């Protein structure tokens, strides 16, 4: 597999949201290329192969979007839980402690 200058894989060199966005963009671009190839194909088997390829790339792009959406929801849930825990802890600290 050939990579950009310096030999680094541009997708692996990214992290977090950028990687997901780039993965979606990559998959979607491959799907568009396959669709263009299918529209230009003169042979049925070449067109069919390109259409199968497009379908696969679109599925991967959709999955990348779903992963990003699920990840964002999980981050929000985690943030809300941490805020609730912090509020509960702060409330406990304000309760007078009777030591006898």
């Amino acid at each position: 597999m050939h990579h950009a200058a310096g030999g680094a894989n541009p997708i692996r060199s990214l992290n977090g949201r950028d990687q997901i966005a780039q993965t979606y963009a990559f998959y979607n671009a491959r799907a568009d290329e396959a669709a263009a190839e299918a529209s230009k194909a003169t042979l049925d088997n070449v067109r069919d192969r390109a259409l199968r390829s497009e379908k696969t790339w679109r599925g991967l792009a959709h999955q990348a979007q779903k992963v990003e959406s699920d990840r964002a929801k999980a981050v929000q849930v985690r943030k809300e839980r941490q805020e609730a825990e912090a509020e509960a802890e702060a409330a406990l600290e304000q309760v007078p402690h009777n030591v006898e």
Side-chain angles (χ1 to χ4, degrees), residues 27-39:
Y27 293 153
N28 203 48
R30 298 297 79 75
D32 291 345
E33 289 174 7
E37 180 183 349
S39 70

Side-chain angles (χ1 to χ4, degrees), residues 34 44-57:
D44 289 342
N45 63 332
V46 173
R47 183 181 312 102
D48 291 345
R49 183 192 67 214
L51 290 172
R52 284 191 309 272
S53 179
E54 177 191 12
K55 182 179 178 181
T56 299
W57 286 119

